[in-house]
Amino acid sequence: VQLVESGGGLVQAGGSLRLSCTASEVIASSYTMGWLRQAPGKEREFVAVIWWNNGDTYYADSVKGRFTLSRDNAKNTVYLQMNSLQPEDTAVYYCALANTRLKTEWLGVGENYDSWGQGAQVTVSS
């Protein structure tokens, strides 16, 4: 499955951006789809996922209440709406797809994902 990301850019602190990720194939109900990010000099970290079978979402504590994940089943697309952005949100954001329903304790492990997008730069200025 190929994942194509769009969105991202430069925004001032407190602003909003939306990322989208479209899969090249129909996403099976058993899949997990979400976002991870990597800031300069830091390890990649989990941001948010949606479990495709029921649409439940799960967020990292650092983005909970500010970021919202949604989907369009017909378009095989997920959206990450990012509000109240802060400089510490600056990173390259990667869309990722796992061919299984990942448990929460596995969400931050990159090796558990089977497909990755090309990455989208998000820069938040103070």
Side-chain angles (χ1 to χ4, degrees):
V1 178
Q2 292 184 330
L3 303 177
V4 178
E5 301 177 29
S6 62
L10 174 64
V11 66
Q12 290 187 333
S16 298
L17 287 172
R18 190 178 80 158
L19 301 177
S20 64
C21 175
T22 300
S24 60
E25 302 174 8
V26 172
I27 301 173
S29 60
S30 60
Y31 286 13
T32 304
M33 193 165 180
W35 297 87
L36 293 87
R37 67 186 182 185
Q38 188 164 20
K42 294 187 177 181
E43 294 187 353
R44 184 172 49 198
E45 65 174 355
F46 165 76
V47 177
V49 292
I50 184 167
W51 287 289
W52 215 256
N53 65 327
N54 58 12
D56 284 350
T57 54
Y58 185 82
Y59 300 91
D61 288 342
S62 59
V63 307
K64 200 174 297 181
R66 300 187 298 121
F67 290 12
T68 303
L69 196 58
S70 61
R71 65 177 177 178
D72 184 331
N73 289 30
K75 296 182 179 180
N76 300 317
T77 298
V78 294
Y79 304 97
L80 184 67
Q81 178 65 43
M82 304 181 292
N83 298 330
S84 301
L85 284 162
Q86 299 301 316
E88 52 266 34
D89 295 314
T90 295
V92 178
Y93 285 69
Y94 295 94
C95 178
L97 179 72
N99 297 341
T100 59
R101 179 182 172 89
L102 294 179
K103 296 181 178 180
T104 54
E105 57 264 38
W106 299 345
L107 295 173
V109 180
E111 288 73 18
N112 290 331
Y113 295 88
D114 301 285
S115 301
W116 292 85
Q118 77 277 18
Q121 178 68 49
V122 172
T123 302
V124 185
S125 62
S126 57

